[in-house]
Amino acid sequence: LDIYSLPGKWYSFKYALVVVFLTIRKFIAHYTAKRDLEPGYGVLSHDFPEEMDKKQPLSEDPKAFDAVYMNGANRIGWYIVVGLARRKLNVDGFLILKVPGVGLLLSPKLPDTVLSLDEAEDSSFSSEGLKLTPLQPMTCWWLQYKGTMRLSHNPQKKFQVQLDARWQSDLGFFNYDTDMPTRSLAKGLSNETWTKNYFKCLKDHHQTHYEQFGELTGNVIIDNVDFNINVSAMRDHSFGYRREWKAFHRYALHIFTLADGTRGNIGVICIPNMFSRLEIGYVYEKEGSLEPLTDLDFELYQHGENGIPPSDYGFTFKTGQKCYEVRVQVEETTDLYLGLDWEARITESLSRFTVNGVEGWGVVEWMYAHSSGRTPAGHSQSAVSAR
């Protein structure tokens, strides 16, 4: 496909140039007091985590954003996906909760995620009963929801839900501004055609994004029935000058936890004219060490390019010299749309994983460009069983 750039005749030269540039940039940022470098590409946006892990001021751009997200799962079939993105005119927000014995529950406006603007002056990201609050930077966040949710396969069936849980972690976080391997960035940049406008786009669309795994524990009351929730969950935070969903073509992110304690997020992003193929990700080893993705055998055009994500597939990847073989089996999916004009369709695939023979569980998030306005895609699925 023309969307996915291939290495040209100058690829090797550009690759070497990017490696040198990034190496020098990281050296300047690390060993000098220079503070006028733009964040990203080896440079931190903030000197201290506590300055980063909280609400950020929105830029003057109409597409400014400050977004938090969490997703988790466990062995017995609990899944949760929640997001709140502060925008200039609204909040993009949603909650997806699968409870064994009850079913897959969706916040009331889904697949629409446009929620009312929250004028609260506290530290929370919140809207329409859904709230994520930082309690201790990189250590503890508080998740709350109070309101109705509906059953995915029977929208007329509604429940009164009250969720109260704490996400906690003593693990390190992966900051894409500084922790991505130089080789991965060099591969992504060197495939593209370089122009003055290309580098301006990179600057304008850069976002600070970091992720961290932890444990989400608490309780949820569904129609006066009390359930305990205990899942391994990845939390992330993104902010930047602007987020333009129309610039994206696709992405696929595999967020998983294994029975032996290994956890990770492995994916590919396609933003034509910036990064038509950017490999991103990391793995927490069993003992907690954090290793970045170094190589990935997964092509977007081979997986769901027709708009329908696959339900049973595999791929391989590496962190350093360690190889991983992955099989994904999807149990259930649901769609949602992001942006005032539904510029992006997201399919959340609640899945079982097998990685190097070890069982696991998690969520695969597929993003597709959506150009039909506030009309669902013809092949859009809501809680379709893959088995």
Side-chain angles (χ1 to χ4, degrees):
L1 295 175
D2 292 340
I3 291 169
Y4 301 99
S5 299
L6 296 174
K9 66 177 181 178
W10 295 104
Y11 175 84
S12 297
F13 173 75
K14 290 159 72 176
Y15 180 94
L17 199 62
V18 172
V19 169
V20 171
F21 167 76
L22 291 175
T23 301
I24 293 173
R25 184 175 166 85
K26 288 182 178 181
F27 178 87
I28 293 172
H30 186 74
Y31 291 104
T32 74
K34 194 174 181 63
R35 288 291 179 267
D36 57 353
L37 292 173
E38 295 283 344
Y41 308 101
V43 178
L44 288 168
S45 63
H46 296 76
D47 289 332
F48 302 102
E50 55 266 28
E51 297 174 349
M52 189 164 58
D53 205 30
K54 63 179 184 179
K55 272 185 175 179
Q56 299 295 318
L58 295 178
S59 76
E60 69 277 10
D61 191 89
K63 296 294 182 76
F65 73 102
D66 181 23
V68 289
Y69 171 90
M70 190 181 296
N71 94 33
N74 67 15
R75 184 197 298 267
I76 64 173
W78 280 79
Y79 292 89
I80 185 168
V81 188
V82 56
L84 284 162
R86 299 170 53 236
R87 309 300 293 254
K88 286 287 192 179
L89 300 177
N90 67 288
V91 172
D92 294 334
F94 63 92
L95 173 63
I96 299 166
L97 180 64
K98 184 174 183 181
V99 181
V102 177
L104 183 61
L105 305 181
L106 309 176
S107 48
K109 288 187 176 179
L110 284 175
D112 190 13
T113 61
V114 177
L115 305 184
S116 59
L117 198 61
D118 190 343
E119 302 297 338
E121 297 297 327
D122 63 12
S123 61
S124 298
F125 295 74
S126 61
S127 183
E128 300 187 21
L130 183 60
K131 181 180 289 190
L132 273 165
T133 307
L135 299 180
Q136 186 176 350
M138 304 299 180
T139 302
C140 185
W141 280 64
W142 187 11
L143 169 61
Q144 299 166 279
Y145 178 71
K146 187 174 183 180
T148 61
M149 298 187 76
R150 58 181 177 81
L151 199 59
S152 60
H153 67 270
N154 181 9
Q156 303 307 313
K157 178 65 174 175
K158 297 181 180 179
F159 300 85
Q160 288 298 317
V161 176
Q162 188 168 341
L163 171 64
D164 190 312
R166 302 291 176 100
W167 177 93
Q168 294 179 290
S169 179
D170 59 2
L171 297 171
F173 63 94
F174 191 88
N175 188 341
Y176 284 91
D177 276 349
T178 55
D179 297 338
M180 279 190 68
T182 297
R183 180 173 177 267
S184 297
L185 275 172
K187 285 196 298 183
L189 288 164
S190 302
N191 275 339
E192 309 305 324
T193 300
W194 290 2
T195 64
K196 182 178 180 180
N197 187 59
Y198 172 73
F199 291 107
K200 183 179 185 303
C201 282
L202 288 179
K203 179 180 177 181
D204 289 348
H205 290 269
H206 172 73
Q207 64 176 33
T208 290
H209 179 87
Y210 57 92
E211 301 178 358
Q212 184 183 24
F213 267 82
E215 301 295 327
L216 181 70
T217 59
N219 75 294
V220 56
I221 301 172
I222 303 173
D223 280 356
N224 298 316
V225 179
D226 204 335
F227 298 85
N228 292 322
I229 181 171
N230 188 339
V231 299
S232 172
M234 186 276 286
R235 176 187 68 88
D236 75 30
H237 185 195
S238 307
F239 52 89
Y241 182 75
R242 73 193 319 253
R243 173 179 280 172
E244 176 56 87
W245 285 115
K246 291 180 181 179
F248 287 72
H249 173 60
R250 288 186 63 195
Y251 67 63
L253 305 175
H254 299 80
I255 303 158
F256 61 87
T257 296
L258 304 184
D260 66 1
T262 302
R263 292 174 267 198
N265 182 9
I266 302 296
V268 181
I269 296 175
C270 175
I271 310 176
N273 304 317
M274 282 187 277
F275 292 102
S276 61
R277 187 183 187 278
L278 182 64
E279 301 173 359
I280 63 168
Y282 54 86
V283 168
Y284 288 89
E285 301 284 3
K286 289 179 286 188
E287 72 280 1
S289 63
L290 189 52
E291 303 296 333
L293 172 73
T294 53
D295 197 26
L296 175 61
D297 179 20
F298 180 92
E299 301 295 343
L300 281 174
Y301 63 81
Q302 294 176 337
H303 297 84
E305 190 67 29
N306 62 353
I308 304 174
S311 60
D312 191 343
Y313 61 100
F315 60 93
T316 62
F317 71 90
K318 290 182 179 180
T319 60
Q321 297 302 310
K322 187 168 184 178
C323 299
Y324 295 84
E325 294 183 355
V326 182
R327 183 181 179 186
V328 182
Q329 294 173 289
V330 177
E331 294 193 329
E332 206 162 10
T333 70
T334 191
D335 284 359
L336 57 91
Y337 294 85
L338 295 172
L340 291 171
D341 198 35
W342 288 17
E343 300 97 320
R345 174 171 68 93
I346 305 293
T347 297
E348 303 287 5
S349 295
L350 315 183
S351 305
R352 292 285 170 170
F353 289 77
T354 305
V355 181
N356 288 354
V358 181
E359 69 166 331
W361 39 86
V363 177
V364 185
E365 182 169 287
W366 301 84
M367 178 269 167
Y368 290 90
H370 182 71
S371 58
S372 303
R374 297 176 65 83
T375 302
H379 45 255
S380 180
Q381 302 179 59
S382 180
V384 177
S385 175
R387 296 182 179 178

